[in-house]
Amino acid sequence: MKHFIINQKINKFFNRFFTYLFLIVLSVIILYPLLITVQSAFNVSNLAAFALDTHMKWTLDNFHQLFTQSLYLTWFKNTMLIAILTMVIQVIIVTLAGYTYSRYRFKGRKNGLIFFLIIQMVPTMAALTAFFVLGLIINGLDQYWYLTMVYVGGGIPMNTWLMKGYFDTIPRDLDESARIDGAGHLRILCQINLPLAMPMIAVQALWAFMGPFGDYLLAAFLLRSPENMTVAVGLQQFIANPTNQNVSMFAAGSFLISIPIVILFLFLQRYFKSGLTAGGTKG
């Protein structure tokens, strides 16, 4: 018995040790590039640094130059507009589609889900020509609305599957109880299922909002005018020329990108827990 207890303690110790070791290594992998970016953004020097320098000279000149010597504010505004529109439209469509595929049985339901999977397997690179040709036909090149629709369309297939899977975990007994009380389809969705699905809806909103900030390929391919660029495309100009790179301004712009994403994450964080209990009570 004593030997068994000792083995349990040893196993528990090693489990904790390797768990914390993994978390520490993962934190270093994630945080180190972020710290390097912050250092470069506030550094007087314009050199690309790969080691943390605690004795560097801090400055805000990089941000001043970013605002006065480039179209960064215009790029940032364009990206915010596209990100907000993408988030709102995609969340509405994905939520309704996921709920429909989860709760209702209709002709073509299974084939529709399979079609979503097939579409998701097509990489973005393979569809660039199709996006370009379609943009030419409908006069969508260099237009915000067209890039927004491409983002929304690209996010629907897999996110619909994820949303459907989440709605599948919500007990159908709640729907049946609401129907007995006289609730209709819309009321069941809005008052029962949506509050319970808020964690996944919040995740979907965050993903959709982050996409335009980090995407370079589609935005560079479909947007042409400098004043219509997104931040990802605009910032690439600072490091595109190997002989004249402005690493500090690039890092400063990258640092500012994280601010709206962090704000949205903090705002949505409460929904990650509230959805687990909301909507499950009658009244």
Side-chain angles (χ1 to χ4, degrees), residues 270-283:
R270 57 180 176 173
Y271 294 108
F272 296 150
K273 294 182 179 179
S274 65
L276 299 178
T277 56
T281 58
K282 177 182 175 183

Side-chain angles (χ1 to χ4, degrees), residues 215-228:
D215 175 67
Y216 169 79
L217 185 62
L218 282 174
F221 198 73
L222 300 178
L223 299 178
R224 304 304 177 86
S225 304
E227 63 274 9
N228 289 339

